[in-house]
Amino acid sequence: MELARGHVLVCGGTGCTSSGSAKIIEQFESCLSEKGLQDEIKVVQTGCFGLCALGPIVIVYPEGAFYSMVTPEDVAEIVEEHLLKGRIVKRLLYKETVVDENNIKSLNEVDFYKKQQRIALVNCGVINPESIDEYIAFGGYSALGKVLTEMTPQQVIDEIKESGLRGRGGGGFPTGLKWQFTANAQGDKKYVACNADEGDPGAFMDRSILEGDPHSLIEAMAIAAYAVGADEGYVYIRAEYPIAVNRLRLAIEQAKEYGLLGDNIFETGFKFNLDIRLGAGAFVCGEETALMTSIEGHRGEPRPRPPFPAVKGLFGKPTLLNNVETYANITAIINNGAEWFKTIGTEGSKGTKVFAVGGKINNTGLVEIPMGTTLREIVYEIGGGIPNGKKFKAAQTGGPSGGCIPADLIDTPIDYDSLISIGSMMGSGGLIVMDEDTCMVDIAKFFLEFTVDESCGKCAPCRIGTKRLLEILEKITSGKGTLEDIDKLEELCYSIKNAALCGLGQTAPNPILSTLKYFRDEYVAHVVDKKCPAGVCKALLSYVIEPDKCKGCSLCAKKCPVGAIEGVVKNPFTIDTNKCIKCGVCMDSCKFGAISKR
């Protein structure tokens, strides 16, 4: 087989696909064929490159040219200039990669990538996720072969325990210990399961791994099954992830065809079969007992623990459950050794963590950093800082179960214990950045709205308690709150934490408690001054035209949908606050900055 002289890698993750990357691939194949280059240049659909803010992304090798925000209309120019004539198309390059007229940086020299260390995401953006041959060419299934032919189940568990790997799904429980509990459990049948039902707003870590490297999950689950004595597994994934579901299904079929799933794998007598179960998008099904109940075909509701899944899980049998990112670390640990893994991260948090970084930050996307990297490094070095010169105010980690980290704690290392010590948590890996224009009371209300909608209703503390919390927050943000309401809010938070049945209810108050701890003055301003300091809560807002800045152009009056602005042309206009619906159209339309929120 002839080797290609160049490769065009096109992101095929959900973000870039939604921006038209499939059409870009079609255009490349068509243009290359027209130029007779189809045998010299190979077009490869990959998973996510991480820098989602710049998608669709195309990387051309061997030069490593990183083209960003590519459109189908740009393809002909890339083919003609770069692939045919050898001239890189400078106007399409990600600006951070440009050194000078004749040189470009490699990706590991770019700020977004240079502080990252990819373990879970190592193949994402590198291989075609729909090709088992490419996965094998990059070392795939060698770890499974090693454990089946060279290691006993207990040796595998010992290696995972020694590595210090902790569960990446939120709680950070030691992975090897969980494997040991399942292996020690008595039972004629055992299962392994994968939680791919990430439901945190803005989180897409597990989805991206499945879209970019589905065989890594299959291999890791087979290793886990061998270690704990299981012969059957399930991946529970939400149906809203169609690309991930389709690629995982294809990968399972390919693994079966290659004899890497099924009976007598590597002719060792080990048997393992894997199946997919689709979730309907219920956030509560991210909780392990609710997830297993759903796999069994029942309504996804949590059940009391103990017994824990390691003793009584799926269909009443001992079950091992980890999330996608946890499994994505397994093959690297087996291939490189626990000692290697322990050199990465901190004393209590080994390895790396994948975060979906979003909100008020320039470089939104997916990052994988060594544990112990500070929030400042993520926001200002990897993330490129806050747009429009705004000030960093807070970051929220852990989704609806997490907490907010204020600006004065921006140098906090990101690891399990450090986050818990300041009232937040790692969670599955969502990281939302907020600037000075964010109202922290409104943020708490946003997450409570989500939790109220997603509560399964099984226990009263979550079903009723979170609703009462939301009602108090709505009262405060509408300008009707009192100082007593703040006290009631805090008291109810602790009552729910202590009484709720599962992790969803127990952690639901965290966004409120963390904002009360670090931003209590904003709550007080809402109830005492009847003002929203960030100018977000509509009921507490008023729009004002500053006479010395108003030029009397009348544009704001023409744009106002309710006729609340009056005046004479070439003289300052005024806003009738009784008519104003606080839509902000006037402020957006003013060309002189004469309208402000108060």
Side-chain angles (χ1 to χ4, degrees):
M1 182 177 69
E2 292 186 11
L3 295 176
R5 68 171 174 86
H7 289 81
V8 176
L9 274 56
V10 183
C11 174
T14 291
C16 287
T17 297
S18 67
S19 300
S21 65
K23 181 65 176 176
I24 290 170
I25 292 172
E26 290 179 12
Q27 284 291 98
F28 266 113
E29 290 174 342
S30 175
C31 289
L32 289 170
S33 181
E34 288 177 10
K35 301 294 183 180
L37 299 174
Q38 67 273 18
D39 295 327
E40 298 180 42
I41 308 293
K42 299 300 181 185
V43 181
V44 181
Q45 175 185 255
T46 71
C48 179
F49 291 112
L51 196 43
C52 303
L54 298 179
I57 293 171
V58 173
I59 301 181
V60 178
Y61 288 103
E63 296 84 359
F66 187 108
Y67 293 123
S68 62
M69 297 183 179
V70 177
T71 67
E73 291 71 31
D74 295 323
V75 172
E77 183 179 359
I78 294 173
V79 172
E80 178 71 25
E81 291 297 312
H82 187 161
L83 300 176
L84 189 61
K85 298 178 181 178
R87 300 192 291 235
I88 292 175
V89 183
K90 294 288 177 63
R91 72 174 186 86
L92 295 174
L93 287 175
Y94 171 38
K95 65 180 184 300
E96 297 296 328
T97 65
V98 179
V99 177
D100 54 41
E101 187 65 26
N102 301 309
N103 298 289
I104 59 175
K105 294 179 182 178
S106 64
L107 291 186
N108 59 15
E109 297 177 287
V110 175
D111 286 344
F112 181 79
Y113 291 105
K114 68 183 180 183
K115 287 206 168 184
Q116 294 191 50
Q117 184 170 353
R118 291 195 158 200
I119 297 176
L121 299 177
V122 66
N123 287 329
C124 293
V126 176
I127 67 171
N128 178 357
E130 298 183 5
S131 170
I132 189 173
D133 292 327
E134 288 202 19
Y135 180 70
I136 291 172
F138 278 76
Y141 290 106
S142 60
L144 178 59
K146 178 179 179 179
V147 302
L148 293 183
T149 60
E150 300 177 21
M151 302 174 73
T152 65
Q154 188 58 51
Q155 286 176 327
V156 176
I157 294 172
D158 289 343
E159 194 74 11
I160 302 304
K161 286 197 290 187
E162 180 64 23
S163 72
L165 176 66
R166 295 172 66 173
R168 301 304 197 234
F173 190 81
T175 303
L177 199 57
K178 182 183 283 191
W179 287 29
Q180 187 72 71
F181 289 156
T182 312
N184 292 346
Q186 300 299 310
D188 58 341
K189 175 79 173 181
K190 295 182 182 180
Y191 295 94
V192 294
C194 175
N195 181 354
D197 192 61
E198 60 182 352
D200 291 1
F204 55 98
M205 301 75 58
D206 290 351
R207 186 196 76 200
S208 294
I209 293 171
L210 290 174
E211 290 178 349
D213 195 16
H215 283 283
S216 67
L217 174 64
I218 296 171
E219 183 177 12
M221 290 187 72
I223 291 170
Y226 172 74
V228 304
D231 62 4
E232 191 172 354
Y234 291 94
V235 179
Y236 188 84
I237 180 172
R238 53 183 47 219
E240 291 100 324
Y241 286 177
I243 296 175
V245 171
N246 291 337
R247 288 180 184 168
L248 182 58
R249 278 180 173 153
L250 176 61
I252 289 173
E253 291 305 312
Q254 291 174 342
K256 287 178 180 177
E257 183 181 347
Y258 276 51
L260 299 167
L261 284 176
D263 297 330
N264 198 26
I265 300 173
F266 284 112
E267 298 184 351
T268 61
F270 172 64
K271 172 185 176 182
F272 180 61
N273 289 295
L274 187 61
D275 206 350
I276 296 173
R277 289 291 182 270
L278 298 182
F283 181 65
V284 72
C285 286
E287 194 276 337
E288 60 181 7
T289 61
L291 180 152
M292 293 179 187
T293 303
S294 182
I295 289 178
E296 293 168 355
H298 306 295
R299 176 177 173 151
E301 292 181 334
R303 50 192 185 225
R305 299 176 302 174
F308 291 93
V311 176
K312 187 177 181 181
L314 272 173
F315 309 107
K317 304 295 184 180
T319 302
L320 172 68
L321 176 67
N322 291 122
N323 81 325
V324 175
E325 188 185 341
T326 307
Y327 281 122
N329 283 275
I330 298 301
T331 59
I333 293 171
I334 296 298
N335 284 327
N336 298 301
E339 291 301 320
W340 163 82
F341 191 78
K342 287 164 64 176
T343 64
I344 305 164
T346 65
E347 182 62 31
S349 302
K350 303 299 183 184
T352 60
K353 182 70 188 77
V354 181
F355 285 97
V357 182
K360 302 297 183 66
I361 192 165
N362 284 308
N363 296 336
T364 57
L366 206 64
V367 305
E368 184 172 3
I369 54 166
M371 295 280 195
T373 302
T374 65
L375 181 59
R376 182 187 298 276
E377 290 174 289
I378 297 174
V379 172
Y380 285 103
E381 297 183 42
I382 297 172
I386 314 298
N388 305 316
K390 297 284 186 177
K391 294 180 181 179
F392 171 79
K393 184 173 186 177
Q396 208 273 351
T397 63
S401 300
C404 294
I405 305 170
D408 58 358
L409 293 178
I410 194 171
D411 291 308
T412 298
I414 302 299
D415 60 57
Y416 291 101
D417 303 324
S418 296
L419 290 180
I420 289 173
S421 71
I422 61 172
S424 188
M425 65 182 294
M426 186 78 72
S428 59
L431 196 157
I432 308 299
V433 178
M434 292 163 266
D435 68 8
E436 60 193 83
D437 295 330
T438 304
C439 170
M440 303 312 294
V441 185
D442 184 66
I443 284 293
K445 187 177 75 169
F446 166 79
F447 282 111
L448 256 292
E449 288 171 340
F450 179 86
T451 304
V452 168
D453 283 344
E454 293 294 340
S455 174
C456 74
K458 186 172 183 177
C459 74
C462 186
R463 181 181 71 250
I464 302 172
T466 57
K467 181 66 174 175
R468 296 292 86 82
L469 288 177
L470 180 58
E471 288 170 354
I472 296 173
L473 288 172
E474 288 173 337
K475 184 180 178 183
I476 291 172
T477 55
S478 65
K480 300 173 183 177
T482 65
L483 289 174
E484 289 76 17
D485 286 323
I486 298 177
D487 294 333
K488 288 179 185 176
L489 190 69
E490 193 164 21
E491 181 181 356
L492 183 54
C493 281
Y494 286 111
S495 296
I496 294 171
K497 283 181 73 71
N498 292 329
L501 174 62
C502 80
L504 186 150
Q506 293 162 7
T507 58
N510 285 352
I512 298 176
L513 289 172
S514 66
T515 51
L516 279 172
K517 180 177 181 179
Y518 297 116
F519 301 97
R520 198 179 193 92
D521 59 321
E522 291 197 27
Y523 284 85
V524 173
H526 279 69
V527 301
V528 175
D529 303 329
K530 306 300 179 186
K531 294 288 185 181
C532 174
V536 171
C537 300
K538 280 190 175 183
L540 303 177
L541 282 183
S542 60
Y543 284 86
V544 178
I545 297 176
E546 300 178 36
D548 58 330
K549 292 183 179 180
C550 180
K551 306 299 182 182
C553 69
S554 78
L555 182 60
C556 59
K558 293 175 182 176
K559 293 285 187 179
C560 180
V562 293
I565 302 178
E566 300 174 345
V568 178
V569 174
K570 296 185 179 180
N571 289 282
F573 278 62
T574 60
I575 299 175
D576 185 339
T577 56
N578 293 320
K579 291 183 180 179
C580 179
I581 60 172
K582 305 171 184 178
C583 63
V585 169
C586 59
M587 187 173 174
D588 293 337
S589 63
C590 182
K591 298 178 180 179
F592 306 103
I595 303 176
S596 59
K597 290 188 292 186
R598 293 182 183 174

